Amino acid sequence: MKYRLVIFDSDGTLADSLPYLGALLNQLAERHGFKKIDPQEAERLRDFHGHELLRALGIPLWKLPRIMSEVRALMAEHINEFSLFPGVDLMLRRLASGGARLAVVSSNSTENVQRILGPANVALIGHFACGVSMFGKASRLRGVLRATKIAAAETIYVGDEIRDGDAARKAGIAFGAVGWGQCRLEAMRAHGADEGFTTVSEIAEKLAGS
């Protein structure tokens, strides 16, 4: 197996939740005084990340924790409207049966992530480090490495944003970019992604070698 530890992002990687998250942000825009995401502008904003996206939407950094807390709460109220991308269940089973240890590091809450995954998938995942700030994933990734005692060289973080790749590099681990989430696969490859996945099943095919 290429990696002994596979860490996943949740929204946009395992969970098909980005369209609803965009609607939630627009719902909160007037209350918090930031710019709504125009559908015609959404494609241009896809590859923005971190401070670029905050500047484009006019969100000051100090407002971000409150906004994200409200997004998580609204998601919890409508959790039954979310689902996993097709094939995620099988992909997680294939990785686990192949000997990989699995974890999730996400900005969403642990409760939301686990409810979307469902009990069978939660049972496959050994570590959840959730409720992470927009710029706090690297420290949580390092925390998972400490908890599992698996070397950084044997670990990959799979996500859908350029900032996920930035966090992986800061933590000293590989980054696997998926092609169905927030950022375009080409953009993440240009930022140094170590692996690229065009389908969910390809994650297991490349990482488990089956």
Side-chain angles (χ1 to χ4, degrees), residues 41-101:
E41 197 176 25
E43 185 64 23
R44 184 181 71 85
L45 295 176
R46 278 192 71 184
D47 297 333
F48 282 36
H49 65 102
H51 294 288
E52 285 182 328
L53 184 59
L54 294 181
R55 283 194 297 270
L57 297 180
I59 301 176
L61 195 58
W62 65 269
K63 282 189 178 182
L64 192 59
R66 175 67 179 274
I67 293 169
M68 292 307 300
S69 177
E70 291 187 25
V71 166
R72 294 181 193 116
L74 287 170
M75 282 191 72
E77 292 177 12
H78 301 275
I79 201 69
N80 292 331
E81 299 176 29
F82 299 95
S83 62
L84 298 174
F85 286 104
V88 164
D89 306 83
L90 177 58
M91 178 269 294
L92 294 175
R93 288 198 302 271
R94 289 176 67 183
L95 287 175
S97 65
R101 296 177 68 177

Side-chain angles (χ1 to χ4, degrees), residues 160-186:
D160 69 308
E161 296 186 56
I162 291 170
R163 69 185 178 99
D164 293 333
D166 292 343
R169 279 189 292 278
K170 289 177 183 177
I173 64 178
F175 175 58
V178 304
W180 51 85
Q182 172 63 33
C183 295
R184 293 175 301 114
L185 184 55
E186 294 80 5

